[in-house]
Amino acid sequence: MALAAALAVNHHLLCFSNPRTVTWVPTKLKPQKRAYLCLTSCTSSSSSSSSSSSSSTSPEADLQTAESRVNLGLSLFSKGRVKDALAQFETALTLDPNPMEAQAALYNKAAVMLTGRGEGKKAADCLRTALREYNLKFGTILNDPDLASFRALPEFKELQEEARLGGEDIGYSFRRDLKLISEVQAPFRGVRRFFYVAFSAAAGISTFFTIPRLFRAIKGGDGAPDIWETAGNAAINIGGIIALVLLFFWDNKKEEEQLAQISRDETLSRLPLRLSTNRVVELVQLRDTARPVILAGTKETVSLAIKKAERFRTELVKRGVLLVPVIWGEGRAPQMEKKGFGIPSKAATSLPSIGEDFEKRTESIAAKSRLKAEVRFKAEVVSPAEWERWIRDQQKSEGVTPGEDVYIILRLDGRVRRSGKGMPDWQQIVKELPPMEALLSKLER
């Protein structure tokens, strides 16, 4: 039966006393290297009543529910039957699913399209529908390490931009999380806005009473106020309102720029690298472990910069520097490659970076030690087209002509520390960066 097949691959199921209660939990199908949302129904009935109910229910009756279709689809996909699994998820959407069932069907349908067919656009449409209509959290897409292939596609960038802009349709919780990070980085923005509004209101009220006085002063006559004094007060009030409104909109613009930068930092954290041991990791997994230095330019320029860095290798390694060369043009014919898939289960998993709804994943001390041992001064980018696209976006945001040779130094927490045109002065970097054991490095984590 479909439900039994799904239970066979699921390791953690949630059961409730209500026999019609439906829930989903993220689970990994071992035969395939992707995370899915699985639906299960549980009952608190006794074993005797359960067995009698099972015997009286036909397989055909079980398959008339969206829940069973989703579970059957997962079972089929675990056996490599991609086309049949996709058909089950599509059928589930036609069987009047509840919001949780529809969310699971759309999420799994998107995942199957990515893994079995490489249809990024159709997968993005499924995820967009789940976000808009069935309350799928964008953090699920952003932090799922097995969706690395989707995050390396242009469709993910479009979806992320929609989520960053927020609104009732899509990404409201994601934008809220970005705003929380923005408030931490600029804690007095809310206070400034309050004073902008308060002082503008005060100036507006004062102007409301000053304008009639100005008319009386212009008319003249007995008891008329002084025209120059009244005009000066009106000018001060109106000028203050204009200045405060401009400051308010300027602050809003700065906030949007900051939110865009935080969003770019999140995109950067999901880009994949291949370490010297041939292991593929996402950049987020290197947080607290290394200070990546991205070298973007022509092959000759980057090769020369790496050769110069070799002279300071010992000191740079002490400071956790990891060279990440990006050669312009290498990503124009990207290879379809699984990035992050098949990472050993004992490997360090990526940590979510934002969002109170994100399920935090922990790392053991041994796993961190192994990861540190694999970080050996230089790494190779996977999916260079996505790396190049991110660097060009970063150049545009900083007013640099896209395509120029640049370097970008990241902090231990994954944020951009410093960037510049050309290649870095390694001697200056050795002086600037503290060793990994230093107090300043601990504060940077």
Side-chain angles (χ1 to χ4, degrees):
M1 290 173 60
L3 185 55
L7 291 173
V9 296
N10 206 2
H11 296 278
H12 304 286
L13 305 180
L14 301 180
C15 296
F16 297 89
S17 58
N18 187 348
R20 288 304 303 154
T21 299
V22 178
T23 184
W24 60 265
V25 293
T27 182
K28 288 186 183 292
L29 295 176
K30 299 302 181 182
Q32 302 293 332
K33 299 164 183 176
R34 181 166 295 282
Y36 293 93
L37 303 181
C38 184
L39 292 167
T40 64
S41 289
C42 300
T43 179
S44 61
S45 304
S46 63
S47 58
S48 60
S49 61
S50 297
S51 59
S52 62
S53 175
S54 299
S55 61
S56 62
T57 304
S58 65
E60 292 77 8
D62 284 345
L63 293 179
Q64 297 310 309
T65 65
E67 172 194 349
S68 297
R69 290 286 183 171
V70 171
N71 289 329
L72 178 57
L74 291 173
S75 177
L76 291 171
F77 188 77
S78 69
K79 299 173 183 178
R81 297 168 59 181
V82 176
K83 186 176 180 180
D84 294 336
L86 186 60
Q88 294 301 323
F89 297 137
E90 291 174 344
T91 302
L93 294 171
T94 66
L95 296 176
D96 192 24
N98 63 35
M100 199 67 70
E101 292 168 339
Q103 182 188 122
L106 287 165
Y107 188 91
N108 289 317
K109 180 181 175 182
V112 169
M113 285 180 170
L114 288 168
T115 302
R117 296 169 169 243
E119 297 178 351
K121 188 176 186 306
K122 291 183 178 180
D125 290 339
C126 290
L127 294 174
R128 184 177 286 104
T129 301
L131 287 164
R132 285 178 174 173
E133 300 179 16
Y134 301 108
N135 199 32
L136 175 66
K137 302 299 182 184
F138 188 79
T140 304
I141 303 170
L142 183 66
N143 287 290
D144 185 350
D146 289 329
L147 284 182
S149 64
F150 178 64
R151 292 192 294 269
L153 296 176
E155 288 79 9
F156 169 74
K157 183 182 177 182
E158 294 174 4
L159 199 62
Q160 185 182 37
E161 185 65 14
E162 292 179 36
R164 182 183 69 81
L165 296 175
E168 295 181 0
D169 289 339
I170 181 172
Y172 174 77
S173 61
F174 180 61
R175 182 173 175 83
R176 179 199 60 200
D177 297 332
L178 292 178
K179 277 182 167 288
L180 289 174
I181 296 178
S182 176
E183 286 295 329
V184 172
Q185 296 180 5
F188 299 111
R189 179 176 286 123
V191 176
R192 291 199 303 270
R193 285 176 175 171
F194 171 78
F195 283 114
Y196 293 156
V197 174
F199 290 155
S200 295
I205 294 172
S206 178
T207 302
F208 179 77
F209 290 104
T210 303
I211 294 299
R213 287 174 54 85
L214 180 60
F215 287 148
R216 292 207 311 272
I218 294 174
K219 267 186 188 179
D222 295 338
D226 182 72
I227 185 171
W228 294 111
E229 179 182 355
T230 306
N233 291 336
I236 291 174
N237 289 331
I238 295 173
I241 292 173
I242 293 173
L244 291 169
V245 169
L246 290 176
L247 285 172
F248 183 86
F249 283 108
W250 176 83
D251 225 336
N252 280 347
K253 181 181 177 182
K254 287 298 180 182
E255 182 186 39
E256 289 300 323
E257 291 176 355
Q258 188 178 37
L259 293 178
Q261 182 61 54
I262 296 171
S263 182
R264 281 195 299 273
D265 290 344
E266 286 299 314
T267 301
L268 173 64
S269 70
R270 308 300 163 183
L271 293 178
L273 283 173
R274 179 176 285 107
L275 302 180
S276 57
T277 56
N278 208 37
R279 174 182 168 192
V280 176
V281 298
E282 289 183 342
L283 200 59
V284 67
Q285 293 176 246
L286 301 180
R287 288 183 180 176
D288 301 337
T289 303
R291 289 186 175 100
V293 178
I294 302 170
L295 306 173
T298 63
K299 187 173 183 179
E300 294 75 15
T301 304
V302 173
S303 299
L304 181 59
I306 294 175
K307 186 176 181 180
K308 290 181 178 179
E310 288 287 349
R311 304 173 190 172
F312 303 90
R313 182 183 181 115
T314 302
E315 293 301 320
L316 291 173
V317 169
K318 286 182 181 179
R319 287 154 178 78
V321 169
L322 177 68
L323 303 184
V324 182
V326 179
I327 310 300
W328 294 132
E330 279 193 353
R332 290 175 185 169
Q335 298 178 350
M336 293 301 296
E337 182 173 1
K338 293 183 178 181
K339 302 166 287 298
F341 297 163
I343 295 175
S345 58
K346 295 182 180 180
T349 55
S350 60
L351 289 174
S353 51
I354 66 172
E356 60 187 4
D357 296 327
F358 295 178
E359 182 183 357
K360 293 188 176 181
R361 296 179 287 270
T362 59
E363 295 176 306
S364 67
I365 296 177
K368 284 186 177 181
S369 300
R370 285 195 295 273
L371 184 60
K372 288 180 180 179
E374 293 185 54
V375 178
R376 300 174 184 172
F377 192 57
K378 182 183 173 184
E380 176 187 352
V381 298
V382 179
S383 187
E386 299 310 313
W387 280 88
E388 188 172 329
R389 183 182 292 111
W390 182 88
I391 294 171
R392 290 180 184 276
D393 288 344
Q394 185 70 13
Q395 287 176 322
K396 289 179 183 177
S397 71
E398 296 182 358
V400 178
T401 303
E404 288 191 27
D405 296 345
V406 294
Y407 68 90
I408 303 171
I409 304 175
L410 303 184
R411 296 159 46 99
L412 287 173
D413 61 7
R415 289 188 291 159
V416 175
R417 179 190 186 96
R418 181 162 65 85
S419 61
K421 296 182 181 180
M423 293 294 110
D425 182 345
W426 298 113
Q427 188 172 5
Q428 180 63 33
I429 287 178
V430 169
K431 294 179 181 178
E432 176 185 337
L433 298 179
M436 293 292 286
E437 298 78 13
L439 176 61
L440 290 176
S441 293
K442 295 178 180 178
L443 294 175
E444 190 177 308
R445 290 181 169 90

